[in-house]
């Protein structure tokens, strides 16, 4: 627990020793009080029991449900949005994935799509990315998943385009207007931490079953990064540069167009990148409401516990994520150098190159429209079965042979760490937890956060799921500690060595984008339906982010400082522990708070593998009509928990920073 | 900086073209940051010290009741340590920061009353600013950076490029039109900043510590560049700096600020020769006085029995330049202006000034 | 540098373009090749039109729906659209008019009340012939080693065996899919069992648990149900709880008896029922046994056939049963 807290507060430093003692004192006092009042006022609630609030939430959703046919909002507004969404996605599907316009095959066959994607990568990125794109798109066909991949691509592209259409203007607004920024931030927090399962079923009431609902669900999850990162990019512009523009008499609009937007362009591309990744994360979940594509293959395979097939489809999702990620990143870098290179390079040469690429692409598109061999990916070139068999064999082997060790490991962590900690949290009266959280907030951050914590705790009590919240909190904190151990260890390793980075990065990308449903079965086999399995799933998903952020921070440490430390005779370990980690502290803190958010994003998946508590409540609410209100309450509890923990870590880190700087 | 560089005093009589008219007339200017800052000025609160005000209201008074005038074609230097409010002051003059109270008259017109549109018009045509960290647009070439002000003013492409090329040549950057800012050294980047400001042909140029981010040698070059440009284009300049030697070198007049308040305004020799309080005195202590003071500051009335047939010098000759004449003369040197005898200077006075001055000019301040 | 940058692409581009056109010669064209021939509508066309079938996410359901869809398309010339949906979303589909039929419904009294009684958008279309059994199961090796374990009265004796890291010193009873309201917590309490209910959260978790338990010979007691394809892989043994009597489960708090036998039924939208579509008659007449379903489910889960392939095989093997479902013409 101590380790957890010191990691959470972002590697406290010398000037903060007294605070560390204070925290220790709070924990000791907590345990002592717990010994006496254990089991009192723990606000337990049985699995199927409902509080009046839950019942009222049920009634509320019923009411909306029933007014669907005569409410003008539905008749004149939502219906048109739905029609528009359905039509646009069906149109894209008709182009690349589904039989359309009276043809037995889509308008553009595999060869044409591969050519277009490669050409885009070549013209907007570089040759290396074009090669990767070519390989990636061909692999969809080779895995035997061409049509599914194209369905997914259509959905993702449509959702991303709409997310950007909404997100970038709002992001710009949030970038230039403080008030709007303050207003929109909690809304975005809410959108990102509210589990999708909570709004998936109601969404189909508004937008009906079909692509429209899937798109809206995806947008809800994918639009926040677009808004946040765009706003960040606008805000990042040097104030003096903006001032210079103003001092020459620019209107705000001119400054935005000629200074802020061009300078924020690169950051905005990062935002686009994150939006794409978020959209791909939703592919599997949206399949629960009949969204077409790879997600469906994954879920179908899960019904028969067919790990191989799920892995095969998951692999296609990962490949798509990596291709789109690298493509947008390369395009982003190109944005910067584009017009410079454009001027430097002889325009004639470039024009010939572009023309050549376009001619080949057009030829490929034409062929794929006319000839069957270019339209339909040949079935005999299918390596899917091998991938499936390989994954099956690997999963089976691991489950058969590693079970003894993995279950021993699970028991070790559960008995020594998770169970005692959970006992402390669930056994404490709610008011004791309240006092402890507020004491932590007071020691670690400022009065505003203390008030926010008090309000959040009040909400958590009011939501009627206190016990479940405590169980989830225990698992969440343990998972976050594991994430940070991995994050720091691998992050340092990656940050110090470019080669390690190159090898590890695709693996991390896979961990982040491989749908959890794919590896649920093997980890269930290894660890059983337990809270620990849920923790493992969360770690697989969250550790890559923490590792990447830490590595970026380590790499960002000025080489001069490292050189100086080396010149002073530091050992490698000393350089890491005394120079690189402390100097990368803000990155480590960011990694912690992002790790925490990612862990919370997996609470619901945890509910599917034995974590119980809030995750299970949400899943059950999605599956049973009378538990819908309770599921909604559980979703809100996850959001409240997330926002509370995130604010404490963030302000703690900020305060630690200022304290450290103030005493220097 | 070294003291061998050309100084203002070498120029043909400054006073000759400085009229007594004010281009910029600042009256009772206040800037208070913080909650309900508009309630401070005009209330008893304005009498409080900075610290007390901060404690009582949470407000910070960055500028407190500052008044001064800037005359046509003079270089007016605002000097102070960091936190003295000088950067805020210059931003208030162009309303990059909105002043809390007071008047800023440009040729008699209060720019605080200007509408947003009119203010933009003023910024586009009548004043321009050079920034400490240059504030260049990294995504534009030098040519496009320099013509930026003309572009937003609506000038046609050919016209603005033509003007930009002129100015680029003026600041000595010919051949770099197609470079990007990050391909240039710091000094060259600031030349771009300077060119950008000059391109719109403003009446008043504001400099916000333009050379403090540059290394000493480049800084000296740039100071000389400003002196040269001032001589060539004769703009009115308001120059912010924390570097006294820079202030003395460039300024026709210097305004010294402390804690948002005006401490002293005067010509360099006035500031050095007659500091108004210990703060200023402490400031100018290390200045080589012989390089700043003029004969006017060291002359004394002739003694009754002194021979008055020695050589003559004007009252505005810097001591350093008078040394040779005075030390060679066997008689006291007469200080004469308009045929009238103001006083005399002998080797004794000269040596006293030189002895007081620190032996070496301070380098790398 | 620029030469290297632009030289090869042009060459490659030319080569590729030429290559493509050369190889293109003689290829089959889209629309005239047999491989892309239209496959639907080769049976005599009646006024059947479109049928929207909800597909709930378990294999048994897919088997039933697969056979119905196959027969509807091949014998009646309908256009069947399958929609992959969780149960509750599928029921909502009746209200929005997007779902015509759910072909294997496990009770769901609350949904019946809402959509059949209150909103009147759905009606029942009779039993599927399948009987749903719900209860507590142990892996076969345990039933063999501890023969008396199948009586609930002996469960306390073996509670220690079932202890896990999750069950806090008691025996663990693993509950499953959250789609179903279980009485297990009340049963444990009312039967005085020294057990704790742990929520696995998904069918996958339950099946993986049982599979590992049988393979690794570890103890496990869990909630399960039949018909279920997994039972043909591992023959789980049911634990006998006090026998079900009519009304013994009326008060959810006081339940102390086994689950009833569920009569799995079919639900169709009111609109579809009134449309006179032959597909409605098919669905209404459809009925088969648990063994039938298990067979098709096995084709899908173990033999890795698609639902269409599995259905085709079964329909061809059982022409008489299929004939009985078809509307008299």
């Amino acid at each position: 627990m101590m380790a957890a807290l010191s990691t959470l507060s972002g590697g406290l430093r010398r000037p903060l020793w007294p605070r560390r003692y204070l925290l220790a004192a709070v924990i000791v006092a907590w345990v002592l009080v717990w010994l006496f009042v254990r089991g009192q006022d723990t606000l337990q609630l049985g699995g199927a029991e409902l509080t009046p609030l839950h019942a009222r939430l049920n009634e509320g959703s019923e009411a909306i449900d029933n007014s669907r046919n005569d409410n003008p909002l539905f008749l004149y507004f939502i219906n048109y949005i739905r029609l528009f969404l359905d039509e646009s996605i069906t149109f894209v599907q008709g182009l690349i994935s589904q039989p359309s316009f009276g043809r037995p095959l889509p308008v553009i066959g595999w060869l044409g799509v591969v050519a277009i994607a490669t050409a885009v990568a070549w013209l907007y990125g570089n040759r290396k990315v074009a090669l990767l794109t070519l390989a990636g798109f061909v692999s969809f066909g080779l895995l035997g998943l061409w049509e599914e991949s194209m369905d997914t691509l259509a959905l993702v592209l449509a959702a991303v385009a709409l997310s950007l259409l909404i997100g970038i203007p709002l992001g710009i607004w949030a970038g230039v207007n403080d008030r709007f920024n303050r207003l929109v931030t909690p809304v975005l927090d809410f959108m990102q931490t509210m589990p999708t399962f909570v709004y998936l079923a109601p969404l189909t009431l508004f937008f009906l079953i079909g692509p429209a609902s899937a798109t809206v669900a995806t947008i809800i999850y994918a639009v926040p990064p677009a808004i946040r990162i765009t706003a960040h990019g606008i805000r990042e512009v040097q104030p003096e540069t903006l001032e210079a523009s103003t001092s020459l008499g620019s209107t705000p609009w001119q400054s935005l167009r000629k200074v802020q937007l061009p300078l924020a362009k690169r950051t905005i591309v990062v935002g686009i990148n994150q939006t794409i990744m978020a959209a791909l994360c939703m592919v599997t979940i949206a399949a629960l409401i009949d969204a077409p594509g790879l997600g469906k293959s994954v879920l179908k395979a899960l019904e028969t516990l067919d790990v191989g097939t799920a892995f095969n489809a998951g692999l296609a999702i990962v490949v798509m994520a990596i291709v789109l990620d690298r493509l947008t990143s390369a395009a982003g870098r190109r944005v910067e150098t584009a017009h410079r290179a454009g001027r430097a390079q002889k325009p004639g040469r470039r024009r010939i190159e572009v023309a050549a690429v376009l001619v080949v692409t057009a030829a490929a598109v034409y062929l794929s429209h006319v000839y069957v061999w270019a339209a339909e990916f040949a079935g005999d070139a299918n390596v899917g079965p091998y991938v499936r068999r390989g994954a099956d064999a690997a999963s089976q082997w691991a489950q058969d042979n590693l079970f003894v060790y993995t279950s021993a490991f699970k028991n070790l962590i559960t008995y020594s760490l998770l169970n005692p900690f959970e006992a402390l949290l669930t056994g404490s009266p709610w008011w004791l937890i309240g006092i402890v959280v507020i004491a932590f907030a007071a020691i670690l951050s400022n009065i505003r956060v203390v008030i926010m914590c008090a309000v959040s705790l009040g909400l958590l009590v009011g939501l009627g799921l206190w016990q479940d919240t405590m169980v989830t909190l225990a698992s969440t904190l343990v998972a976050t500690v594991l994430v940070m151990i991995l994050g720091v260890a691998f992050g340092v390793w990656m940050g110090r060595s470019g080669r390690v980075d190159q090898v590890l990065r695709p693996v991390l990308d896979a961990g982040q984008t491989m749908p959890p449903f794919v590896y649920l079965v093997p980890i269930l086999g290894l660890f059983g339906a337990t809270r620990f399995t849920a923790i493992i799933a969360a770690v697989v998903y969250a550790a890559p982010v923490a590792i990447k952020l830490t590595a970026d921070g380590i790499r960002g440490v000025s080489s001069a400082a490292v050189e100086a430390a080396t010149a002073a005779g530091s050992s490698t370990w000393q350089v890491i522990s005394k120079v690189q980690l402390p100097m990368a502290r803000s990155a480590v803190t960011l990694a912690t708070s992002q790790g925490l958010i990612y862990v919370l994003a997996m609470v619901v998946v945890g509910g599917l593998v034995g974590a119980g508590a809030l995750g299970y409540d949400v899943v059950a609410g999605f599956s049973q009509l009378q538990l819908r209100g309770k599921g909604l309450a559980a979703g809100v509890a996850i959001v409240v928990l997330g926002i509370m923990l995130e604010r404490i870590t963030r302000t703690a880190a900020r305060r630690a920073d200022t304290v450290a700087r103030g005493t220097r | 900086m070294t003291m061998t560089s050309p100084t203002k005093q070498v120029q043909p009589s400054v006073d000759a073209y400085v009229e007594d008219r004010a281009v910029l007339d600042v009256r009772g200017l206040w800037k208070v940051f913080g909650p309900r800052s508009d309630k401070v000025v005009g209330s008893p609160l304005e009498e409080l010290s900075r610290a007390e005000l901060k404690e009582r209201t949470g407000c910070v008074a960055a500028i407190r009741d500052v008044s001064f005038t800037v005359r046509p074609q003079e270089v007016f230097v605002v000097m102070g340590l960091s936190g003295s409010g000088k950067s805020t002051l210059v931003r208030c003059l162009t309303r990059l920061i909105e002043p809390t109270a007071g008047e800023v008259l440009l040729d008699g017109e209060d720019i605080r009353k200007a509408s947003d549109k009119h203010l933009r018009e003023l910024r586009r045509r009548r004043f321009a600013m050079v920034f400490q960290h240059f504030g260049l647009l990294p995504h534009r070439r030098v040519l496009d950076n320099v013509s930026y002000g003309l572009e937003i003013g609506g000038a046609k492409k050919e016209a603005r490029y033509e003007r930009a090329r002129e100015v680029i040549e003026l600041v000595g950057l010919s051949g770099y039109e197609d470079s990007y800012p990050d391909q240039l050294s710091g000094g060259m980047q600031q030349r771009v900043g300077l060119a950008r400001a000059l391109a719109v042909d403003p009446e008043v140029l504001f400099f916000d510590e333009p050379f403090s981010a540059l290394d000493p040698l480049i800084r000296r070059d740039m100071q000389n560049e400003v002196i040269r440009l001032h001589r060539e284009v004769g703009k009115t300049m308001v120059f912010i700096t924390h570097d006294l030697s820079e202030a003395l070198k460039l300024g026709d007049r210097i305004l010294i600020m402390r804690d948002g308040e005006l401490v002293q305004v005067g010509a360099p020799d006035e500031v050095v020769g007659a500091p108004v309080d210990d703060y200023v005195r402490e400031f100018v202590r290390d200045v080589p006085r012989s390089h700043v003071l003029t004969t006017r500051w060291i002359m004394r009335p002739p003694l009754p029995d002194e021979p008055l047939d020695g050589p003559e010098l004007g009252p505005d000759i810097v001591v350093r330049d008078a040394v040779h004449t005075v030390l060679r003369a066997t008689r006291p040197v007469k200080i004469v202006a308009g045929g009238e005898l103001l006083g005399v200077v002998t080797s004794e006075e000269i040596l006293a000034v030189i002895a007081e001055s620190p032996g070496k000019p301070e380098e790398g301040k | 540098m620029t030469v290297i940058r632009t030289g090869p692409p042009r060459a490659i581009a030319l080569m590729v373009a030429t290559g493509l056109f050369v190889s293109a010669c003689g290829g089959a064209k889209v629309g005239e090749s047999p491989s892309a021939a239209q496959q639907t509508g080769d049976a005599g066309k009646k006024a059947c039109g479109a049928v929207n079938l909800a597909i709930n996410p378990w294999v048994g359901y897919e088997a039933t729906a697969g056979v119905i869809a196959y027969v509807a398309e091949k014998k009646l010339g309908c256009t069947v659209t399958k929609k992959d949906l969780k149960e509750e979303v599928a029921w909502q589909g009746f209200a929005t008019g997007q779902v015509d039929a759910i072909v294997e419904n496990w009770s769901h009294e609350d949904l019946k009340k809402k959509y059949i009684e209150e909103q009147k958008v759905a009606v029942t279309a009779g039993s599927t012939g399948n009987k749903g059994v719900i209860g507590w199961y142990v892996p076969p090796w345990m039933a063999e080693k501890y023969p008396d374990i199948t009586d609930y009265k002996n469960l306390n004796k073996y509670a220690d065996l079932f202890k896990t890291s999750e069950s806090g010193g008691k025996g663990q009873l693993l509950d499953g899919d959250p789609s179903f309201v279980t009485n297990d917590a009340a049963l444990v309490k009312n039967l005085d069992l020294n057990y704790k209910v742990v929520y696995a959260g998904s069918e996958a978790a339950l099946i993986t648990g049982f599979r590992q338990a049988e393979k690794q010979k570890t103890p496990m007691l869990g909630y399960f149900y039949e018909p279920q394809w997994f039972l043909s892989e591992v023959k789980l043994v049911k634990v006998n709880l006090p026998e079900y009597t009519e009304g013994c489960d009326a008060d959810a708090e006081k339940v102390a008896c086994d689950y009833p036998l569920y009569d799995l039924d079919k639900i169709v939208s009111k609109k579809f029922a009134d449309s006179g579509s032959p597909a409605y008659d098919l669905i209404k007449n459809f009925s088969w046994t648990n063994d039938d379903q298990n067979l098709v489910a096995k084709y899908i889960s173990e033999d890795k056939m698609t639902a269409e392939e599995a259905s085709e095989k079964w329909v061809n093997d059982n022409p008489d049963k299929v004939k009985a479902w078809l509307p008299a013409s």
Side-chain angles (χ1 to χ4, degrees), chain B residues 299-362:
Chain B
M299 69 189 183
R300 57 174 170 78
L303 297 171
D305 55 343
E306 258 175 329
L308 290 174
D309 53 354
E312 288 182 8
L313 283 175
D316 294 318
I317 305 296
V318 179
V319 172
R320 190 180 56 184
D321 299 328
V323 170
H324 197 64
T325 318
V326 176
L327 292 188
R328 267 214 325 219
T330 50
R331 310 282 167 88
V333 174
K334 293 184 292 183
I335 306 301
V336 177
E340 193 187 337
L341 178 67
L342 301 173
V344 295
V345 173
T346 65
S347 52
E348 210 170 308
E349 282 82 24
I350 292 282
L351 290 174
V353 172
I354 293 173
E356 244 176 79
S357 303
K360 284 179 188 161
E362 66 278 57

Side-chain angles (χ1 to χ4, degrees), chain C residues 109-139:
Chain C
E109 293 305 330
D110 52 339
L111 292 168
K112 280 184 176 165
K113 181 161 171 277
K114 179 170 173 186
Y115 292 102
I116 295 180
E117 287 173 29
E118 289 170 10
Q119 299 195 3
K120 299 195 194 330
V121 289
V123 291
T124 56
S127 163
T128 64
N130 293 136
K131 297 291 179 234
V133 182
I134 291 180
W136 297 357
Y137 290 77
V138 291

Side-chain angles (χ1 to χ4, degrees), chain A residues 123-138:
Chain A
L123 298 179
Y124 290 94
N126 53 49
R127 202 143 344 130
K128 219 170 115 193
V129 172
L131 223 61
L132 178 77
T133 308
L134 179 69
F137 271 70
V138 169

